[in-house]
C-alpha cells in the first residue's frame, strides 16, 4: 500500500467518525489534519476533498467545522485557485466543487478580481511584474496565472461574480437556518443561473414559515416566461433540502405521494398550473388551506397530514407584467437593493392579475408569488455555456462499444468560451423559449458540427482508444467570406490524458511562490533588480521546479 493511499484511507476513516464526535473536537481535528506533498508542503484537509473533486465531501467537512478559507502553508496557495487548476491534472470538471466552496464561505477575491469580474471575457495572461503583485496574491505568478487562464471557465467565473454580489449572511440568519435544517438553501444562488430575486424570496419564505411554526402548508407560485428556471428552482430546492419531490402529471400520483409522505416535509411541483381545470382548483382548496387530505384509496378515507408539504405552482400567466417590470426597473442591474425595493409593487400587480384569472379562493391561499425574469445578455451566454459544458463532459466519458457510445473519449477545446457562448446567445436566444432555445443552439451549432468533424476522421472507433490520448476538436468563432462570423468545429490532433496529481504540481507552485516571496521581501519595488539578476534567478528556480 502506497504512502498516499494510506493517508487517503486515514482521512476517509476520520470523515466516517464525524457523526460520533462533538463539534468542538471535530473543528479542532479538521484544522490540524494535513496532507504532505512531495516537497513537504502542508495541505489542509479540504484540499483532499478538492483533489477528489467531491462537492459533497466539501460540504460535509465545512459544516463539520473545516475552514473554507484554507490555504497551503508553504506556498500559500488558496483553496479556490487549487480547485480551478487541479482540474487540468486530475482530468475532472471542478465546477460543482468550486460552487460548493463559494457557498461554504470561500472568497472569490482569493483569485485576482480582474480574472472573473467581467466574467464573459476570457482572463488574460500576464508576465510577472513585481509592482503589480500584492502580498495577498503573491502566489499568482506568471506560471500559475497561465494555469488559471487555461482552466478558469466561464461558469466558474460567473459563480465568482455572483458570490461577490451576494450580501453576507448574518450570524442570526445562519442560526435560524441551522435550527430548521434550511442551511442548504444558502446554496440556491450557486445552483441556478440568474434569478437572484427568486432565490432570495424562496429562502425568505421557507425561513419565515418555519420560524413562526405556521401549521398550514407553504404555497409558492412561480411565475414568469417559460424556460427561465421555474422547474429548475423547484427541483434544486427539493435536492438541497434532501426531501422527496413530486412533479405532478396525474391525480393518482398525488394521492400516492401524499399517502407515503404524510406528516413529512416534501415538495409537490405542479407545472403549467394555468392549464389546470376549475375542478382541480377546487380539490386543492382544502389541502392548501388546512393541510389535510383524505386518502381516496382507503374505505374510510384516512386523513393525511399535508401541513409540511411545500407546494410549488408554476405558471406563465404573469409574463407581460414581469416583462414590463423588468424592462422598466431591473434590466442591466445586478445590485440586490434595487431588486428588493421594487418587489412589493410587482407582487401586488401579479396578485391582482391572478385574482382575476384564477379566482379569489385559490389566490387567497397563495403564501407568496415568486417572479422569474428574462435573462440578461450575459446570463444568456452563461446558460449557453452550461449546455456546452454538458456536451464537453459527455464526450469526455470512455468509449463503450457494447452500448454504442462511440462519440466519446474526445476533448472539446473551446477557444474563448465567453465569445462562443455570447455568439450563440445573441444569434439563437428567444425570450419566449428561454434556456430551451440555447440548448437547441448548442445541439445544432456545436454537437451537430462535432458529429460532422468526428465522422470525417474516418478510422473505426475502438474501445482500446480509451487507453490512448484524447482526440481534440477545436471549437471557435471564425470570420468567413463576406465578413460574417460562424462557429466551427475542427479536429486538431490529440491531447495527453496522463493523469497527474495536483500534489505534484504544488512543487512548481512552491518554488515559484518562494521566488515571489524573495522578491517582495528583498526587492519590494524592483528598482535594485536588474535584467541579468532576474534572468539568472528565473533559470535557477525553473530548473529546481522541473519547468525546463
Amino acid at each position: 500500500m502506497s504512502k498516499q493511499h494510506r493517508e487517503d484511507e486515514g482521512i476517509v476513516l476520520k470523515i466516517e467518525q464525524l457523526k460520533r464526535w462533538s463539534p468542538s473536537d471535530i473543528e479542532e481535528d479538521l484544522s490540524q489534519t494535513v496532507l504532505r506533498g512531495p516537497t513537504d508542503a502542508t495541505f489542509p484537509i479540504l484540499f483532499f476533498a478538492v483533489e477528489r473533486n467531491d462537492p459533497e465531501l466539501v460540504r460535509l467537512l465545512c459544516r463539520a467545522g473545516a475552514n473554507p478559507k484554507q490555504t497551503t502553508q508553504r506556498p500559500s496557495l488558496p483553496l479556490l485557485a487549487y480547485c480551478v487548476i487541479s482540474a487540468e491534472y486530475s482530468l475532472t470538471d471542478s465546477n460543482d466543487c468550486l460552487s460548493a466552496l463559494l457557498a461554504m464561505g470561500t472568497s472569490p477575491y482569493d483569485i485576482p478580481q480582474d480574472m472573473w469580474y467581467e466574467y464573459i471575457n476570457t482572463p488574460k495572461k500576464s508576465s510577472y511584474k513585481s509592482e503589480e503583485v500584492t502580498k495577498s496574491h503573491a502566489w499568482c505568478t506568471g506560471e500559475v496565472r497561465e494555469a488559471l487562464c487555461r482552466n478558469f471557465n466561464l461558469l466558474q467565473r460567473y459563480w465568482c461574480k455572483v458570490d461577490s454580489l451576494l450580501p453576507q449572511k448574518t450570524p442570526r440568519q445562519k442560526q435560524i437556518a441551522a435550527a430548521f435544517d434550511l442551511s442548504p438553501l444558502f446554496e440556491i444562488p450557486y445552483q441556478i443561473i440568474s434569478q437572484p430575486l427568486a432565490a432570495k424570496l424562496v429562502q425568505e419564505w421557507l425561513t419565515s414559515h418555519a420560524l413562526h411554526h405556521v401549521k398550514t402548508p407553504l404555497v409558492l407560485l412561480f411565475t414568469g416566461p417559460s424556460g427561465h428556471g421555474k422547474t429548475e428552482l423547484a427541483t434544486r430546492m427539493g435536492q438541497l433540502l434532501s426531501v422527496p419531490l413530486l412533479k405532478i402529471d396525474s391525480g393518482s400520483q398525488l394521492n400516492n405521494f401524499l399517502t407515503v409522505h404524510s406528516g413529512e416535509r416534501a415538495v409537490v411541483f405542479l407545472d403549467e398550473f394555468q392549464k389546470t381545470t376549475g375542478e382541480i382548483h377546487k380539490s386543492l382548496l382544502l389541502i392548501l388551506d388546512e393541510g389535510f387530505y383524505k386518502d381516496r384509496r382507503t374505505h374510510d378515507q384516512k386523513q393525511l397530514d399535508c401541513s409540511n408539504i411545500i407546494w410549488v405552482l408554476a405558471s406563465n400567466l404573469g409574463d407581460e407584467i414581469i416583462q414590463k417590470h423588468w424592462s422598466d426597473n431591473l434590466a442591466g442591474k445586478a445590485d440586490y437593493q434595487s431588486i428588493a425595493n421594487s418587489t412589493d409593487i410587482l407582487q401586488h400587480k401579479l396578485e391582482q392579475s391572478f385574482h382575476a384569472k384564477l379566482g379569489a379562493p385559490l389566490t387567497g391561499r397563495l403564501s407568496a408569488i415568486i417572479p422569474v425574469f428574462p435573462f440578461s445578455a450575459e446570463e444568456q451566454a452563461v446558460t449557453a455555456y452550461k449546455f456546452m459544458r454538458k456536451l464537453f463532459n459527455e464526450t469526455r466519458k470512455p468509449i463503450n462499444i457494447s452500448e454504442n457510445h462511440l462519440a466519446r473519449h474526445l476533448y472539446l477545446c473551446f477557444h474563448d468560451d465567453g465569445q462562443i457562448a455570447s455568439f450563440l446567445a445573441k444569434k439563437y436566444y428567444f425570450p419566449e423559449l428561454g434556456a430551451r432555445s440555447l440548448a437547441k443552439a448548442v445541439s445544432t451549432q456545436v454537437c451537430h458540427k462535432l458529429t460532422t468533424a468526428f465522422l470525417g476522421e474516418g478510422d473505426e472507433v475502438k474501445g482500446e482508444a480509451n487507453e490512448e490520448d484524447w482526440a481534440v476538436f477545436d471549437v471557435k468563432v471564425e470570420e468567413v467570406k463576406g465578413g460574417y462570423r460562424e462557429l466551427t468545429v475542427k479536429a486538431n490532433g490529440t491531447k495527453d490524458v496522463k493523469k497527474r496529481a495536483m500534489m505534484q504540481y504544488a512543487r512548481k507552485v512552491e518554488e515559484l511562490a518562494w521566488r515571489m516571496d524573495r522578491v517582495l521581501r528583498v526587492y519590494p519595488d524592483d528598482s535594485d533588480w536588474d535584467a541579468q539578476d532576474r534572468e539568472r534567478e528565473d533559470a535557477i528556480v525553473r530548473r529546481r521546479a522541473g519547468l525546463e
Side-chain angles (χ1 to χ4, degrees):
M1 182 183 293
S2 69
K3 179 182 177 183
Q4 182 67 50
H5 184 68
R6 288 196 302 271
E7 289 173 340
D8 292 352
E9 274 201 343
I11 293 177
V12 170
L13 287 173
K14 285 184 179 295
I15 293 165
E16 292 298 322
Q17 294 170 349
L18 287 178
K19 294 181 180 179
R20 300 196 295 271
W21 293 354
S22 70
S24 59
D25 289 341
I26 293 171
E27 188 169 355
E28 181 181 358
D29 191 80
L30 292 183
S31 66
Q32 292 178 353
T33 302
V34 298
L35 296 173
R36 291 192 175 276
T39 58
D40 286 334
T42 55
F43 293 85
I45 193 169
L46 273 177
F47 281 72
F48 167 84
V50 169
E51 182 81 12
R52 283 283 188 272
N53 193 33
D54 191 338
E56 285 303 319
L57 186 54
V58 167
R59 296 182 184 99
L60 172 66
L61 292 170
C62 288
R63 287 169 186 158
N67 180 8
K69 299 179 181 178
Q70 291 176 353
T71 63
T72 55
Q73 293 179 16
R74 192 75 181 156
S76 59
L77 180 67
L79 184 58
L80 201 65
Y82 185 90
C83 180
V84 173
I85 298 172
S86 65
E88 181 174 26
Y89 292 83
S90 59
L91 310 182
T92 56
D93 185 328
S94 61
N95 287 352
D96 289 343
C97 220
L98 181 135
S99 62
L101 285 171
L102 290 171
M104 292 296 108
T106 304
S107 172
Y109 295 99
D110 285 350
I111 293 177
Q113 184 177 346
D114 70 284
M115 299 189 78
W116 53 262
Y117 200 78
E118 299 293 337
Y119 55 87
I120 293 297
N121 300 328
T122 299
K124 295 180 179 179
K125 301 174 185 177
S126 61
S127 58
Y128 165 71
K129 294 180 181 179
S130 64
E131 63 268 23
E132 295 177 1
V133 177
T134 63
K135 289 186 178 181
S136 61
H137 291 138
W139 57 269
C140 193
T141 63
E143 186 75 21
V144 177
R145 187 177 174 103
E146 282 193 27
L148 280 171
C149 288
R150 288 195 303 271
N151 297 282
F152 201 14
N153 65 61
L154 176 55
L155 203 53
Q156 293 176 334
R157 303 194 301 268
Y158 172 74
W159 293 135
C160 285
K161 177 64 177 289
V162 166
D163 186 88
S164 74
L165 297 174
L166 289 171
Q168 293 294 312
K169 297 291 182 292
T170 66
R172 181 169 295 183
Q173 284 176 310
K174 294 178 182 178
Q175 175 198 15
I176 300 301
F180 294 101
D181 295 325
L182 296 174
S183 298
L185 292 181
F186 291 150
E187 293 191 47
I188 287 181
Y190 308 93
Q191 297 284 327
I192 61 172
I193 296 169
S194 186
Q195 310 312 338
L197 176 59
K200 173 176 176 286
L201 291 175
V202 165
Q203 293 175 54
E204 289 179 350
W205 277 101
L206 265 74
T207 301
S208 178
H209 193 266
L211 180 63
H212 297 289
H213 300 277
V214 179
K215 300 301 181 184
T216 54
L218 180 66
V219 186
L220 304 176
L221 176 64
F222 291 179
T223 183
S226 178
H228 287 81
K230 297 189 291 292
T231 302
E232 186 173 9
L233 179 56
T235 302
R236 294 293 187 182
M237 181 174 66
Q239 291 173 345
L240 290 170
L241 292 174
S242 299
V243 299
L245 169 70
L246 172 67
K247 297 178 182 178
I248 288 230
D249 293 319
S250 68
S252 60
Q253 278 185 310
L254 178 60
N255 190 88
N256 296 340
F257 185 83
L258 296 179
T259 302
V260 172
H261 300 290
S262 177
E264 300 176 7
R265 179 192 279 177
V267 176
V268 173
F269 179 71
L270 293 85
D271 200 7
E272 297 187 320
F273 190 71
Q274 73 277 4
K275 296 181 180 179
T276 55
T277 64
E279 184 179 348
I280 293 177
H281 296 176
K282 187 176 179 180
S283 66
L284 287 173
L285 292 180
L286 184 62
I287 310 176
L288 302 183
D289 191 31
E290 299 181 5
F292 293 102
Y293 177 73
K294 292 183 178 180
D295 184 0
R296 294 177 299 176
R297 301 181 309 172
T298 60
H299 178 70
D300 58 352
Q301 293 194 338
K302 178 182 177 182
Q303 187 166 267
L304 306 174
D305 180 7
C306 305
S307 58
N308 293 320
I309 298 290
I310 302 166
W311 297 82
V312 179
L313 319 180
S315 172
N316 57 11
L317 284 176
D319 276 10
E320 293 181 3
I321 297 172
I322 290 172
Q323 291 275 7
K324 186 175 188 308
H325 182 84
W326 170 259
S327 300
D328 294 346
N329 301 283
L330 301 176
K333 295 183 180 179
D335 59 295
Y336 279 70
Q337 196 58 47
S338 297
I339 295 174
N341 288 342
S342 63
T343 300
D344 291 343
I345 298 172
L346 172 61
Q347 289 189 323
H348 180 65
K349 291 180 179 179
L350 289 171
E351 188 168 354
Q352 287 181 321
S353 174
F354 281 104
H355 186 283
K357 294 173 181 177
L358 298 179
L362 186 59
T363 306
R365 286 164 172 80
L366 300 176
S367 304
I369 298 175
I370 312 291
V372 300
F373 296 111
F375 296 144
S376 67
E378 293 79 10
E379 291 163 348
Q380 293 168 29
V382 176
T383 303
Y385 183 74
K386 180 183 74 171
F387 295 112
M388 290 163 54
R389 198 72 189 181
K390 183 178 179 181
L391 179 63
F392 173 87
N393 289 324
E394 186 64 28
T395 54
R396 288 214 307 177
K397 293 178 180 178
I399 296 167
N400 188 322
I401 299 294
S402 63
E403 296 184 7
N404 285 332
H405 293 306
L406 306 179
R408 296 278 188 86
H409 198 62
L410 311 178
Y411 186 86
L412 293 187
C413 184
F414 297 116
H415 292 265
D416 196 336
D417 52 11
Q419 181 193 44
I420 297 169
S422 297
F423 173 81
L424 292 172
K426 186 175 181 180
K427 194 169 183 180
Y428 299 103
Y429 172 74
F430 294 99
E432 60 272 21
L433 293 175
R436 295 182 185 90
S437 62
L438 297 171
K440 183 179 179 181
V442 172
S443 176
T444 59
Q445 294 300 305
V446 184
C447 187
H448 182 70
K449 291 180 179 180
L450 171 63
T451 299
T452 303
F454 177 76
L455 295 176
E457 289 300 279
D459 294 337
E460 185 176 302
V461 177
K462 296 181 180 179
E464 292 78 11
N466 289 324
E467 305 303 320
E468 301 173 359
D469 292 347
W470 269 316
V472 176
F473 289 85
D474 288 338
V475 184
K476 299 180 181 179
V477 175
E478 298 183 305
E479 284 196 11
V480 294
K481 290 182 179 180
Y484 294 103
R485 296 192 308 159
E486 68 173 23
L487 190 143
T488 62
V489 181
K490 300 175 182 177
N492 186 20
T494 59
K495 179 179 176 64
D496 179 18
V497 299
K498 184 178 180 182
K499 196 168 184 177
R500 291 160 287 182
M502 181 61 181
M503 300 300 184
Q504 296 171 359
Y505 180 69
R507 180 172 176 236
K508 300 178 183 179
V509 177
E510 181 177 19
E511 295 288 354
L512 290 164
W514 168 80
R515 170 185 180 241
M516 294 297 301
D517 183 60
R518 183 172 186 270
V519 171
L520 289 170
R521 285 186 292 106
V522 181
Y523 306 105
D525 60 359
D526 206 22
S527 58
D528 298 322
W529 205 30
D530 61 28
Q532 287 185 339
D533 287 332
R534 180 182 289 107
E535 186 176 347
R536 186 166 52 252
E537 182 142 335
D538 258 337
I540 294 170
V541 171
R542 291 179 68 83
R543 237 185 350 262
R544 290 179 59 191
L547 299 177
E548 63 180 12

